[in-house]
Amino acid sequence: MHELVERDIPLARLQALRREAAAGQGRVALLAGEAGIGKTSLLLQMLRQPDGQAAGPVWWGGCDALQTPLPLAPLLDVARDAAPAFAALLDGPRPALFDAVLAGLRAAPLLFVVEDAHWADEATLDLLKFLGRRIAGTRALLIVSYRDDELGATHPLRRLLGELPQAERIELAPLTPAGVALLARRALRDPAALHATTQGNPFFVTELLRHGTTELPRSVQDLVLARFARLGAGARQLLGAAALVPGRIERWLLAAVLPDLDALAETLDSGLLRTDGPEALAFRHELARTAIEATLAGPQALHARLLQALAAHGGVAPARLAHHALGADDAAEIRRHVPLAAEAALARGSLREAARHYRAALAHAEPAMLPRWLEAFADLGQRIDAIDEAIAARERLDALLDGQPQGIRALNLSRLAMMYVHMSRNAEADAASARAIALVQQHGGSPSGATAAVYGTEAALRMLNRECEAAVDWARRSLALAGGDRLRQLASLSTLGTALMFLDYDAGCRQMQEVLDLALAEGHAPIAAQALMNLGSAAGELMRYADGMAWLRRGADFAAERELDAAAHYAQAWLALCCLQSGLWDEAGMRAASVVDRPASSAISRLMALLALARLRIRRGDPGAEEALDAATALAAGTLQRIAPVRA
């Protein structure tokens, strides 16, 4: 165990926060520092110095650098090690799971550590946001550690940090020359040269002292590999296998893929690998793992053995199997495991992870699989605001469906039309919808469900173009054919209600409230998000800003918590406009920038956010108004709803 140097102040602060939490004032601590700064060592030291006033259970979980992050990985770690009550809900709906985790934090004084949040999947970030906003009513201390030097301006974690203003921020600084001198003199090394070489990074310092060289190699990779090369063949083989497994690696898994584990003691003595409980191992630092992984020649065969062992063992998360299938570059195994990982992510509400898995699966799909996977990916792309990719998937699907039943082709075309709208390609949307209508009306028509969906899309297009009477007519024709299709009923009722808001505001609002209540009661989150977004944006367009802000605030939070990014971004853009018109200029600027700064946001969301920024800059006399208007104008070639406010 390495001695901690110059960590007394942050350690004392963490212990004080734990006491405050145990006394009934739940807290969040954000522990930041660059790779190798000693975040884990500090947390372990905190546990080695128990405080009687802050006794209680410990939940400890981490995020791993998987090719596609494992949804809610910290909860899986906690469930495995602590058997909490929420474990039974891990495969269920996310809202119920989050409520159960919160109940666990309220039950007793508790320390919940989430390590390496810079690798967190979006579901984990949503969990941290959910807990962070409610933790004051618990007796828990939530500590979130992350590498602040890996957070770019648009990193998802950075947005979370901005949404937890009450959290205690603890940043671990590099060691001072005096701190390095304390370690160097004990090792009979020149402290000035050591500090100049390492810049006080504790990992670099301890590695350099252990390694015995006089200069730090060009990178940490060189430092790790210099020691790695001195190990015996068995130890190198063991470390190579372990390096392909992000996070912890079970001993049984190593035993399954290696002829023997005789070299395990040598790897532990090297300091590269450490024990992680009685049944698992982990690299002492992720830098060491990635350094070794990068040197492996032809790791596909080893990935294949790891995959075979995990699959035979059973009970392994599909994302782990998918990770090794991709590493093995085995098309058959990718087709077998990656879609299952996507379905598992989707079942947990992790839409972005599911989309990443389907994206990987599509690169290896056989012809028979393509239509189903393209449909799944396109649907996810529309929800998470990856609209360009979703359009490409539906256009590809349209070509594949040539010769298929007319109803199937028409459904894809009508869905493609709505995606064109998201990218302000309204002429193409109208053309696609017209093709879909023609298909379902040919030769006696198509099944009523397909026709209802196609008519519902046409109703939405007319509503968006503010042809409200036509929208009402198409929506009613859709409802007459919807039969027992509840989603279609609710979607057409939502379009009908939105159109009515422009004809009779109060009647339209009553209709939309009914749709919203039904969607929430029946668990149709996308319909509920759409209803909230339509209520808010229509109220904003009709200059009922108080109503609009109320609906849009609720809608933005509701959609974001469920990874319905397209709805969330559009709600944020319209909320920026409503805030601007209500004199809330700072909030307007913040919300508009949050959309404009996302390159993947749909055209209609970016357009409305740019409009808000341009108006704000004009009113404040800030520079950049013309540039924002020019950018908005370039996106506005669509409906009157888009062109009029930009031109005005």
Side-chain angles (χ1 to χ4, degrees):
M1 181 182 72
H2 298 292
E3 177 185 0
L4 293 187
V5 175
E6 296 183 335
R7 294 293 181 255
D8 291 343
I9 293 176
L11 180 60
R13 186 58 193 142
L14 285 176
Q15 290 169 329
L17 289 172
R18 195 176 184 191
R19 288 193 296 271
E20 293 173 17
Q25 186 179 353
R27 299 297 302 272
V28 177
L30 302 173
L31 183 60
E34 65 181 5
I37 205 68
K39 299 180 290 294
T40 299
S41 297
L42 180 68
L43 293 172
L44 291 174
Q45 183 68 15
M46 176 185 176
L47 293 184
R48 294 188 193 104
Q49 298 180 1
D51 187 327
Q53 300 178 51
V58 176
W59 290 357
W60 196 296
C63 307
D64 301 324
L66 293 170
Q67 293 188 29
T68 296
L70 184 63
L72 299 172
L75 291 189
L76 299 180
D77 288 345
V78 174
R80 180 185 61 246
D81 297 333
F86 70 72
L89 300 175
L90 277 171
D91 292 325
R94 188 185 299 177
L97 172 62
F98 284 14
D99 285 339
V101 175
L102 182 62
L105 299 188
R106 288 172 172 158
L110 185 144
L111 173 65
F112 186 9
V113 174
V114 175
E115 285 198 284
D116 296 322
H118 51 280
W119 288 321
D121 68 289
E122 284 85 352
T124 298
L125 295 178
D126 287 346
L127 171 68
L128 296 176
K129 179 179 177 181
F130 176 87
L131 297 178
R133 289 180 171 181
R134 295 161 178 84
I135 201 164
T138 74
R139 300 172 65 191
L141 171 60
L142 170 62
I143 302 178
V144 180
S145 75
Y146 61 95
R147 296 180 185 174
D148 54 356
D149 61 331
E150 293 191 12
L151 301 189
T154 60
H155 193 288
L157 180 59
R158 188 171 293 282
R159 295 195 294 272
L160 171 67
L161 300 180
E163 293 169 342
L164 297 176
Q166 303 304 317
E168 179 85 9
R169 296 172 184 265
I170 300 175
E171 298 180 3
L172 296 187
L175 300 179
T176 66
V180 173
L182 180 62
L183 297 173
R185 288 183 182 126
R186 292 175 181 174
L188 303 178
R189 297 288 301 278
D190 176 9
L194 186 60
H195 186 270
T197 302
T198 64
Q199 294 300 304
N201 182 291
F203 175 73
F204 294 179
V205 171
T206 55
E207 290 301 292
L208 195 58
L209 291 174
R210 180 197 292 270
H211 192 266
T213 61
T214 57
E215 294 181 358
L216 185 69
R218 291 173 301 171
S219 67
V220 176
Q221 182 182 46
D222 292 337
L223 180 72
V224 172
L225 296 180
R227 187 178 335 135
F228 175 73
R230 291 204 303 268
L231 298 175
R236 294 198 304 272
Q237 185 181 36
L238 191 153
L239 285 168
L244 296 182
V245 184
R248 68 201 311 262
I249 179 170
E250 299 87 345
R251 290 176 185 255
W252 67 259
L253 181 56
L254 277 178
V257 300
L258 296 177
D260 62 66
L261 298 182
D262 291 343
L264 180 57
E266 183 181 0
T267 63
L268 293 173
D269 289 343
S270 74
L272 294 171
L273 210 61
R274 62 176 176 81
T275 59
D276 187 10
E279 302 298 331
L281 304 163
F283 277 88
R284 190 166 67 84
H285 200 287
E286 176 65 11
L287 292 175
R289 187 193 71 78
T290 55
I292 294 172
E293 182 184 26
T295 69
L296 299 178
Q300 291 88 348
L302 190 48
H303 269 296
R305 295 208 302 272
L306 288 164
L307 173 60
Q308 183 180 15
L310 287 168
H313 186 267
V316 177
R320 290 190 71 185
L321 300 175
H323 173 77
H324 292 296
L326 290 165
D329 196 24
D330 185 322
E333 294 299 319
I334 290 171
R335 290 191 289 269
R336 176 179 301 136
H337 296 294
V338 175
L340 292 177
E343 292 171 9
L346 189 58
R348 290 184 177 173
S350 299
L351 306 188
R352 302 181 197 110
E353 272 69 45
R356 290 183 188 125
H357 283 303
Y358 275 121
R359 188 181 291 114
L362 283 169
H364 298 84
E366 293 181 332
M369 304 167 180
L370 264 178
R372 182 167 61 88
W373 291 357
L374 284 169
E375 174 64 41
F377 179 67
D379 180 64
L380 286 165
Q382 182 175 4
R383 296 189 190 189
I384 66 172
D385 218 0
I387 305 297
D388 281 333
E389 288 184 285
I391 287 174
R394 290 221 174 271
E395 289 177 338
R396 186 179 177 190
L397 186 55
D398 180 51
L400 291 174
L401 293 176
D402 188 22
Q404 294 295 311
Q406 294 162 339
I408 296 175
R409 293 192 66 198
L411 278 173
N412 182 61
L413 281 169
S414 66
R415 291 164 181 163
L416 176 59
M418 292 308 300
M419 293 186 190
Y420 283 144
V421 167
H422 280 279
M423 299 310 292
S424 203
R425 295 163 62 177
N426 290 70
E428 292 169 90
D430 289 342
S433 183
R435 283 181 59 200
I437 292 171
L439 283 171
V440 297
Q441 291 180 346
Q442 285 174 4
H443 307 299
S446 296
S448 60
T451 306
V454 169
Y455 288 178
T457 293
E458 183 64 17
L461 294 178
R462 296 312 104 219
M463 180 272 290
L464 291 170
N465 210 39
R466 297 303 179 252
E467 300 168 19
C468 295
E469 291 86 354
V472 169
D473 178 61
W474 281 106
R476 287 174 174 162
R477 294 171 69 179
S478 172
L479 287 166
L481 296 170
D485 186 342
R486 192 58 166 161
L487 287 176
R488 172 41 46 200
Q489 290 175 359
L490 292 173
S492 292
L493 285 170
S494 179
T495 300
L496 177 62
T498 307
L500 284 174
M501 288 178 71
F502 292 93
L503 301 172
D504 183 336
Y505 180 78
D506 291 334
C509 285
R510 287 194 297 271
Q511 171 81 64
M512 292 300 292
Q513 183 66 63
E514 180 181 347
V515 171
L516 177 60
D517 291 343
L518 289 170
L520 290 173
E522 297 172 19
H524 303 306
I527 298 291
Q530 184 73 35
L532 287 164
M533 185 179 70
N534 285 4
L535 274 163
S537 59
E541 188 170 328
L542 293 167
M543 294 183 285
R544 296 176 181 255
Y545 300 121
D547 289 353
M549 286 190 293
W551 293 119
L552 292 166
R553 290 185 199 282
R554 182 179 174 189
D557 288 343
F558 180 89
E561 288 173 1
R562 290 157 180 80
E563 297 190 4
L564 300 169
D565 293 338
H569 297 164
Y570 193 67
Q572 289 278 30
W574 260 104
L575 185 51
L577 283 165
C578 291
C579 288
L580 177 72
Q581 299 298 90
S582 302
L584 304 174
W585 287 5
D586 289 342
E587 182 177 355
M590 180 271 292
R591 293 190 182 276
S594 73
V595 177
V596 173
D597 290 344
R598 298 173 186 264
S601 296
S602 67
I604 57 174
S605 296
R606 290 181 61 80
L607 189 159
M608 305 315 285
L610 284 164
L611 179 60
L613 279 181
R615 288 178 175 173
L616 178 62
R617 289 168 180 171
I618 290 170
R619 295 181 185 184
R620 282 180 164 171
D622 292 340
E626 289 291 334
E627 291 81 357
L629 278 175
D630 288 344
T633 302
L635 297 171
T639 65
L640 183 66
Q641 180 193 22
R642 314 296 173 199
I643 297 170
V646 176
R647 291 299 183 187

